[in-house]
Amino acid sequence: MLFRSSRGEEFEGNRVEGLRTEYPFTISNAVELGALERNRWTPDGLEALARIDTATVDMDGSIDLILCSVSESNSTVRAVDLKTEQARSILDGNGRLIKTLGKTGSAPASKAETEMLLHHRLQLALYHRALERMESQRPQNERREVVRPAILVGVTGRLVEYPAEMFDSAQSELDTVLQTAARMALTTESPLSERSEEHTSELQSQAYLVCRLLLEKKKKKTDVTHMKTRI
């Protein structure tokens, strides 16, 4: 599907204008913390040190594939991530994903494809947000519409787009991830990567990791704190 599109064939009314692999990005995510207080113990009780109202979580990484398309009405850009789950099924034909081989359209065509989208939803939500931020910095007349991301299923070659409801939920969940991780990172002087399993289980048990969020305090102020992580 992607191969045919890259050769100039139309797919669902769109024609590929260009694509790029391993597209680097950097994004700053503003997080509201609701007056988080930093305290220290004293013999007379807890002593307030600072109140942190907001934090900025800086993240960088690379997107597998950026796909630029054009239709009669507009120009679009989309984040695409290649996933190679169940690659062995190419040899034995037993995987659930390979059962959609030959299916047309960009909507999920099986429960297995839906589960794949759900599993990687936070990663693709972050990629989409990074693309939106980059497009917003371009001149108005050069901007493309950032459409919902998609996964390129390696075993079938299908390009599967995130359904609107699933993706809206993932965007909201990403905000919760960043807020939870930021609050955890700011409740102690230790980097999040050095916490015990007990302290990080809250994020892991609720699938609250975009990947492995390793947050380091970079700069501390009374109301704003910056952190960085690489994915």
Side-chain angles (χ1 to χ4, degrees):
M1 184 183 302
L2 181 60
F3 175 73
R4 295 197 305 268
S5 298
S6 64
R7 294 179 60 185
E9 298 181 23
E10 284 196 5
F11 175 68
E12 296 186 343
N14 292 279
R15 178 174 52 82
V16 173
E17 274 195 318
L19 53 85
R20 176 174 172 178
T21 60
E22 297 300 325
Y23 191 75
F25 71 87
T26 300
I27 183 172
S28 296
N29 301 275
V31 178
E32 296 292 332
L33 297 177
L36 176 69
E37 291 189 353
R38 293 292 300 272
N39 304 301
R40 70 178 177 183
W41 182 88
T42 72
D44 299 321
L46 292 178
E47 177 184 355
L49 296 177
R51 188 189 73 177
I52 305 172
D53 297 316
T54 62
T56 300
V57 181
D58 296 330
M59 308 182 76
D60 63 75
S62 60
I63 303 172
D64 271 2
L65 180 68
I66 298 296
L67 196 63
C68 296
S69 303
V70 62
S71 66
E72 292 183 358
S73 58
N74 65 346
S75 298
T76 63
V77 60
R78 182 197 306 273
V80 178
D81 201 62
L82 169 65
K83 298 301 180 186
T84 57
E85 280 98 322
Q86 301 180 21
R88 184 178 177 82
S89 63
I90 296 176
L91 300 177
D92 57 32
N94 291 327
R96 294 190 302 145
L97 284 171
I98 205 168
K99 297 184 185 303
T100 60
L101 183 65
K103 296 284 187 180
T104 59
S106 60
S110 68
K111 183 179 180 181
E113 287 187 345
T114 299
E115 290 173 351
M116 174 181 278
L117 294 178
L118 283 169
H119 184 71
H120 300 288
R121 65 194 182 280
L122 297 182
Q123 178 188 6
L124 273 296
L126 177 64
Y127 290 172
H128 179 86
R129 187 169 298 185
L131 272 184
E132 283 188 322
R133 193 70 53 82
M134 287 186 280
E135 283 297 311
S136 70
Q137 296 171 357
R138 294 165 58 88
Q140 183 72 40
N141 63 337
E142 297 180 8
R143 294 178 189 173
R144 293 176 177 269
E145 177 188 358
V146 183
V147 295
R148 295 192 303 276
I151 283 181
L152 178 59
V153 184
V155 297
T156 61
R158 279 178 43 77
L159 190 68
V160 185
E161 182 183 42
Y162 273 80
E165 185 176 353
M166 181 190 297
F167 186 65
D168 289 343
S169 177
Q171 288 278 53
S172 177
E173 191 175 357
L174 177 60
D175 290 329
T176 304
V177 169
L178 296 173
Q179 184 183 68
T180 303
R183 293 182 71 89
M184 289 178 64
L186 294 171
T187 54
T188 177
E189 295 293 333
S190 301
L192 188 58
S193 57
E194 296 178 4
R195 310 292 175 78
S196 66
E197 183 177 343
E198 176 184 357
H199 287 94
T200 57
S201 61
E202 178 184 356
L203 289 181
Q204 294 170 340
S205 63
Q206 301 181 52
Y208 275 168
L209 295 182
V210 176
C211 53
R212 184 181 176 91
L213 284 174
L214 305 179
L215 299 177
E216 269 184 22
K217 200 180 331 171
K218 178 184 177 185
K219 181 169 59 177
K220 180 172 67 179
K221 295 182 179 180
T222 301
D223 60 345
V224 179
T225 296
H226 291 267
M227 294 171 292
K228 296 185 70 176
T229 184
R230 172 167 294 179
I231 66 170

PDB file of all heavy atoms in Angstrom, residues 51-56 219-226:
ATOM      1  N   ARG A  51       6.932  26.325  45.762  1.00  0.00           N
ATOM      2  CA  ARG A  51       5.680  25.896  45.144  1.00  0.00           C
ATOM      3  C   ARG A  51       5.895  25.891  43.636  1.00  0.00           C
ATOM      4  O   ARG A  51       6.335  26.891  43.069  1.00  0.00           O
ATOM      5  CB  ARG A  51       4.539  26.849  45.493  1.00  0.00           C
ATOM      6  CG  ARG A  51       3.182  26.334  45.044  1.00  0.00           C
ATOM      7  CD  ARG A  51       2.104  27.369  45.186  1.00  0.00           C
ATOM      8  NE  ARG A  51       2.249  28.407  44.161  1.00  0.00           N
ATOM      9  CZ  ARG A  51       1.384  29.417  44.015  1.00  0.00           C
ATOM     10  NH1 ARG A  51       0.369  29.532  44.850  1.00  0.00           N
ATOM     11  NH2 ARG A  51       1.548  30.311  43.063  1.00  0.00           N
ATOM     12  N   ILE A  52       5.598  24.761  43.009  1.00  0.00           N
ATOM     13  CA  ILE A  52       5.811  24.620  41.573  1.00  0.00           C
ATOM     14  C   ILE A  52       4.448  24.530  40.894  1.00  0.00           C
ATOM     15  O   ILE A  52       3.702  23.575  41.101  1.00  0.00           O
ATOM     16  CB  ILE A  52       6.652  23.374  41.253  1.00  0.00           C
ATOM     17  CG1 ILE A  52       7.961  23.413  42.038  1.00  0.00           C
ATOM     18  CG2 ILE A  52       6.926  23.264  39.757  1.00  0.00           C
ATOM     19  CD1 ILE A  52       8.769  22.135  41.932  1.00  0.00           C
ATOM     20  N   ASP A  53       4.128  25.547  40.114  1.00  0.00           N
ATOM     21  CA  ASP A  53       2.834  25.598  39.434  1.00  0.00           C
ATOM     22  C   ASP A  53       2.863  24.902  38.079  1.00  0.00           C
ATOM     23  O   ASP A  53       1.884  24.257  37.675  1.00  0.00           O
ATOM     24  CB  ASP A  53       2.383  27.047  39.241  1.00  0.00           C
ATOM     25  CG  ASP A  53       2.156  27.753  40.567  1.00  0.00           C
ATOM     26  OD1 ASP A  53       1.539  27.147  41.458  1.00  0.00           O
ATOM     27  OD2 ASP A  53       2.603  28.895  40.695  1.00  0.00           O
ATOM     28  N   THR A  54       3.949  25.042  37.355  1.00  0.00           N
ATOM     29  CA  THR A  54       4.047  24.454  36.022  1.00  0.00           C
ATOM     30  C   THR A  54       5.421  23.830  35.820  1.00  0.00           C
ATOM     31  O   THR A  54       6.379  24.198  36.503  1.00  0.00           O
ATOM     32  CB  THR A  54       3.823  25.509  34.915  1.00  0.00           C
ATOM     33  OG1 THR A  54       4.832  26.514  35.009  1.00  0.00           O
ATOM     34  CG2 THR A  54       2.453  26.144  35.049  1.00  0.00           C
ATOM     35  N   ALA A  55       5.487  22.916  34.888  1.00  0.00           N
ATOM     36  CA  ALA A  55       6.757  22.304  34.502  1.00  0.00           C
ATOM     37  C   ALA A  55       6.786  22.189  32.985  1.00  0.00           C
ATOM     38  O   ALA A  55       5.744  22.149  32.329  1.00  0.00           O
ATOM     39  CB  ALA A  55       6.931  20.923  35.134  1.00  0.00           C
ATOM     40  N   THR A  56       7.969  22.157  32.433  1.00  0.00           N
ATOM     41  CA  THR A  56       8.137  21.931  31.002  1.00  0.00           C
ATOM     42  C   THR A  56       8.960  20.676  30.814  1.00  0.00           C
ATOM     43  O   THR A  56      10.095  20.600  31.282  1.00  0.00           O
ATOM     44  CB  THR A  56       8.840  23.128  30.327  1.00  0.00           C
ATOM     45  OG1 THR A  56       8.055  24.302  30.522  1.00  0.00           O
ATOM     46  CG2 THR A  56       9.005  22.870  28.834  1.00  0.00           C
ATOM     47  N   LYS A 219      16.514  22.419  35.709  1.00  0.00           N
ATOM     48  CA  LYS A 219      16.613  23.746  36.296  1.00  0.00           C
ATOM     49  C   LYS A 219      15.402  23.949  37.199  1.00  0.00           C
ATOM     50  O   LYS A 219      14.292  23.647  36.809  1.00  0.00           O
ATOM     51  CB  LYS A 219      16.642  24.809  35.199  1.00  0.00           C
ATOM     52  CG  LYS A 219      16.765  26.228  35.719  1.00  0.00           C
ATOM     53  CD  LYS A 219      17.056  27.199  34.576  1.00  0.00           C
ATOM     54  CE  LYS A 219      15.983  27.168  33.541  1.00  0.00           C
ATOM     55  NZ  LYS A 219      16.201  28.154  32.469  1.00  0.00           N
ATOM     56  N   LYS A 220      15.609  24.446  38.409  1.00  0.00           N
ATOM     57  CA  LYS A 220      14.519  24.598  39.368  1.00  0.00           C
ATOM     58  C   LYS A 220      14.270  26.070  39.662  1.00  0.00           C
ATOM     59  O   LYS A 220      15.183  26.820  39.968  1.00  0.00           O
ATOM     60  CB  LYS A 220      14.831  23.859  40.670  1.00  0.00           C
ATOM     61  CG  LYS A 220      13.725  23.973  41.709  1.00  0.00           C
ATOM     62  CD  LYS A 220      14.002  23.066  42.889  1.00  0.00           C
ATOM     63  CE  LYS A 220      15.208  23.529  43.663  1.00  0.00           C
ATOM     64  NZ  LYS A 220      15.484  22.689  44.817  1.00  0.00           N
ATOM     65  N   LYS A 221      13.001  26.497  39.533  1.00  0.00           N
ATOM     66  CA  LYS A 221      12.587  27.841  39.913  1.00  0.00           C
ATOM     67  C   LYS A 221      11.419  27.719  40.874  1.00  0.00           C
ATOM     68  O   LYS A 221      10.930  26.623  41.154  1.00  0.00           O
ATOM     69  CB  LYS A 221      12.149  28.642  38.675  1.00  0.00           C
ATOM     70  CG  LYS A 221      13.280  28.898  37.676  1.00  0.00           C
ATOM     71  CD  LYS A 221      12.772  29.742  36.518  1.00  0.00           C
ATOM     72  CE  LYS A 221      13.884  30.018  35.523  1.00  0.00           C
ATOM     73  NZ  LYS A 221      13.404  30.833  34.382  1.00  0.00           N
ATOM     74  N   THR A 222      10.927  28.854  41.352  1.00  0.00           N
ATOM     75  CA  THR A 222       9.816  28.817  42.286  1.00  0.00           C
ATOM     76  C   THR A 222       8.552  28.307  41.621  1.00  0.00           C
ATOM     77  O   THR A 222       7.806  27.536  42.202  1.00  0.00           O
ATOM     78  CB  THR A 222       9.548  30.224  42.863  1.00  0.00           C
ATOM     79  OG1 THR A 222      10.737  30.677  43.509  1.00  0.00           O
ATOM     80  CG2 THR A 222       8.402  30.201  43.854  1.00  0.00           C
ATOM     81  N   ASP A 223       8.318  28.705  40.350  1.00  0.00           N
ATOM     82  CA  ASP A 223       7.058  28.344  39.719  1.00  0.00           C
ATOM     83  C   ASP A 223       7.216  27.510  38.455  1.00  0.00           C
ATOM     84  O   ASP A 223       6.259  26.962  37.957  1.00  0.00           O
ATOM     85  CB  ASP A 223       6.246  29.601  39.384  1.00  0.00           C
ATOM     86  CG  ASP A 223       7.002  30.528  38.440  1.00  0.00           C
ATOM     87  OD1 ASP A 223       8.210  30.341  38.293  1.00  0.00           O
ATOM     88  OD2 ASP A 223       6.364  31.425  37.872  1.00  0.00           O
ATOM     89  N   VAL A 224       8.400  27.407  37.903  1.00  0.00           N
ATOM     90  CA  VAL A 224       8.586  26.666  36.664  1.00  0.00           C
ATOM     91  C   VAL A 224       9.799  25.753  36.792  1.00  0.00           C
ATOM     92  O   VAL A 224      10.848  26.179  37.254  1.00  0.00           O
ATOM     93  CB  VAL A 224       8.789  27.618  35.455  1.00  0.00           C
ATOM     94  CG1 VAL A 224       8.998  26.794  34.188  1.00  0.00           C
ATOM     95  CG2 VAL A 224       7.597  28.541  35.295  1.00  0.00           C
ATOM     96  N   THR A 225       9.649  24.514  36.384  1.00  0.00           N
ATOM     97  CA  THR A 225      10.771  23.578  36.373  1.00  0.00           C
ATOM     98  C   THR A 225      10.873  22.949  34.997  1.00  0.00           C
ATOM     99  O   THR A 225       9.869  22.570  34.404  1.00  0.00           O
ATOM    100  CB  THR A 225      10.571  22.481  37.431  1.00  0.00           C
ATOM    101  OG1 THR A 225      10.581  23.094  38.722  1.00  0.00           O
ATOM    102  CG2 THR A 225      11.677  21.454  37.361  1.00  0.00           C
ATOM    103  N   HIS A 226      12.090  22.835  34.453  1.00  0.00           N
ATOM    104  CA  HIS A 226      12.316  22.213  33.159  1.00  0.00           C
ATOM    105  C   HIS A 226      12.926  20.834  33.370  1.00  0.00           C
ATOM    106  O   HIS A 226      13.795  20.652  34.213  1.00  0.00           O
ATOM    107  CB  HIS A 226      13.270  23.065  32.316  1.00  0.00           C
ATOM    108  CG  HIS A 226      12.664  24.360  31.891  1.00  0.00           C
ATOM    109  ND1 HIS A 226      12.001  24.502  30.670  1.00  0.00           N
ATOM    110  CD2 HIS A 226      12.582  25.558  32.501  1.00  0.00           C
ATOM    111  CE1 HIS A 226      11.585  25.753  30.573  1.00  0.00           C
ATOM    112  NE2 HIS A 226      11.915  26.403  31.660  1.00  0.00           N
TER     113      HIS A 226
END
